[in-house]
Amino acid sequence: MDRGLRLLHLVADAPAGLTVTEAANRLGIGRAAVYRLVGALTGHGMLRRDGDGRLRLGAGVLHLARRAQPLLAEGALPALRRLAEQAGATAHLTVVEGGEGVALAVVEPSWTSFHVAYRTGARHPLERGAAGLAILAGRSGVADPVSTVGELQPGAYGVAAPVLGVPGLEASVGVVALAPLDPDTVGAQVLAAAQSIAAALS
């Protein structure tokens, strides 16, 4: 089981896929052993072989990820509720799915007259909006909050920070509002929420 999980992680970290030889070298085992692992993991839909014979993640991994998403959202909700109330803005947890950012959990503030309606399941490119840019920064280990204006919705202000330190998870937590957000105050609140969510999910 340990070898199979290590193989899944290796393939997940290889955007161009892996050959059986490359996988064997990185795992330090023989090609025959890799073929056995591939056979078992392919049978469960966790791996597949592309047209060039390279190993890639299979649809079974996405199925498991979707089953885990409600647990992620549940673990993040307490911190998101605190953040929405503190900032007076709509708080959200965004995760990477299929190369895009997806709003996995959204909490609106209870005391504001107006706030941004941000739907769970909303998708956007990682290169646009505070949530996606924070995830990209997190890939480099940068935890600082990111601020944007009007990138996903005209007149909307966003601040987000990556959720770091949770194995296998690429995510950010942030807020979006219709009025300017103080980057220092709200940035600190968002960063604290990201750290709280990381602790809850670790």
Side-chain angles (χ1 to χ4, degrees):
M1 180 178 284
D2 177 69
R3 286 177 173 177
L5 292 173
R6 286 169 57 204
L7 177 57
L8 283 176
H9 281 288
L10 284 175
V11 174
D13 291 337
L18 287 178
T19 66
V20 169
T21 300
E22 288 169 340
N25 290 338
R26 295 185 191 184
L27 289 171
I29 61 177
R31 286 166 46 96
V34 173
Y35 276 115
R36 286 193 294 274
L37 292 172
V38 169
L41 292 169
T42 300
H44 289 282
M46 299 296 164
L47 285 180
R48 63 182 176 85
R49 299 185 78 165
D50 64 17
D52 296 324
R54 299 181 73 83
L55 303 175
R56 295 185 180 274
L57 291 180
V61 174
L62 293 176
H63 176 71
L64 285 180
R66 289 192 185 100
R67 296 292 294 271
Q69 284 182 351
L71 298 176
L72 293 176
E74 183 180 334
L77 282 176
L80 290 177
R81 288 192 188 101
R82 282 194 303 272
L83 178 60
E85 297 301 315
Q86 288 173 338
T90 301
H92 53 85
L93 175 69
T94 298
V95 299
V96 175
E97 184 179 285
E100 295 180 302
V102 180
L104 185 61
V106 177
V107 176
E108 298 175 351
S110 64
W111 56 270
T112 55
S113 298
F114 301 97
H115 53 260
V116 174
Y118 192 40
R119 281 185 286 186
T120 300
R123 291 177 171 270
H124 58 81
L126 293 179
E127 296 79 14
R128 291 181 58 204
L133 293 174
I135 289 171
L136 293 177
R139 288 179 176 176
S140 302
V142 178
D144 298 334
V146 175
S147 299
T148 58
V149 179
E151 291 204 2
L152 295 178
Q153 182 177 333
Y157 297 80
V159 179
V163 176
L164 301 177
V166 182
L169 177 68
E170 281 193 303
S172 68
V173 61
V175 292
V176 59
L178 295 170
L181 298 165
D182 178 18
D184 294 328
T185 301
V186 176
Q189 294 167 346
V190 166
L191 188 57
Q195 292 168 345
S196 177
I197 289 172
L201 298 179
S202 296

